[in-house]
Amino acid sequence: MKKQVAGTIIKNDSRGTSFLVSRDQRGGYYFYHLAVRENQSPLASVLWELRHNVGIDVDQLRLYDSIIAEISGEKVAVFVFDHLAIDERVEQLFEKRGLAFVPASQLHHLFESVNVGQTSPMEDFSK
């Protein structure tokens, strides 16, 4: 089994804070995840995926946080980015991959289901 990595992007606007997530068939949210690419670090794998398969300009991304989380019993690196220019075109690129920005207030179950310990600033979003 290949090691997994996950990533999300934070979007702050007049409506508040949103996170880039996917939705499963049961309607639950989850972080965008993928297998770590051979001969690449977990971070490089996420950036490669966002650049080559999603099609966004990853040079605009800024790493906000990185954590090791336990997701479905597996330890997974989760990279959280800020993005400087999220416009309609960028949102359409995400939508093609089943990704959307969802307000933090709707992600309580996701934040509670991802065990990140007591030191992560992401824990504040679950409240």
Side-chain angles (χ1 to χ4, degrees), residues 17 19 31 67 103-127:
T17 301
F19 287 83
F31 291 120
I67 56 174
S105 62
Q106 295 179 25
L107 299 174
H108 292 297
H109 182 69
L110 173 62
F111 293 133
E112 290 170 356
S113 70
V114 176
N115 181 8
V116 295
Q118 299 297 321
T119 61
S120 173
M122 288 186 66
E123 204 166 281
D124 296 337
F125 291 110
S126 69
K127 298 177 178 146

Side-chain angles (χ1 to χ4, degrees), residues 35-66:
V36 174
R37 295 177 54 82
E38 192 171 324
N39 299 319
Q40 286 189 347
S41 69
L43 178 57
S45 295
V46 171
L47 293 172
W48 191 95
E49 177 75 15
L50 290 171
R51 179 185 303 266
H52 296 284
N53 289 336
V54 176
I56 68 165
D57 177 9
V58 297
D59 293 336
Q60 291 188 33
L61 292 176
R62 300 295 176 257
L63 188 61
Y64 172 80
D65 195 8
S66 64

Side-chain angles (χ1 to χ4, degrees), residues 3-121:
K3 185 163 179 64
Q4 296 289 304
V5 64
T8 189
I9 299 173
I10 294 175
K11 175 181 165 184
N12 289 303
D13 59 19
S14 62
R15 294 174 290 198
T17 301
S18 298
F19 287 83
L20 185 70
V21 294
S22 293
R23 228 174 172 163
D24 63 24
Q25 293 177 346
R26 295 174 293 166
Y29 294 106
Y30 61 93
F31 291 120
Y32 185 49
H33 63 278
L34 55 131
V36 174
R37 295 177 54 82
E38 192 171 324
N39 299 319
Q40 286 189 347
S41 69
L43 178 57
S45 295
V46 171
L47 293 172
W48 191 95
E49 177 75 15
L50 290 171
R51 179 185 303 266
H52 296 284
N53 289 336
V54 176
I56 68 165
D57 177 9
V58 297
D59 293 336
Q60 291 188 33
L61 292 176
R62 300 295 176 257
L63 188 61
Y64 172 80
D65 195 8
S66 64
I67 56 174
I68 300 296
E70 189 171 315
I71 303 173
S72 300
E74 181 182 354
K75 290 196 186 287
V76 175
V78 180
F79 296 98
V80 183
F81 301 96
D82 283 303
H83 192 285
L84 300 179
I86 298 170
D87 57 19
E88 193 173 312
R89 184 192 70 77
V90 170
E91 288 192 7
Q92 288 173 351
L93 290 170
F94 288 135
E95 192 175 307
K96 287 179 185 176
R97 303 296 288 178
L99 300 165
F101 286 96
V102 175
S105 62
Q106 295 179 25
L107 299 174
H108 292 297
H109 182 69
L110 173 62
F111 293 133
E112 290 170 356
S113 70
V114 176
N115 181 8
V116 295
Q118 299 297 321
T119 61
S120 173

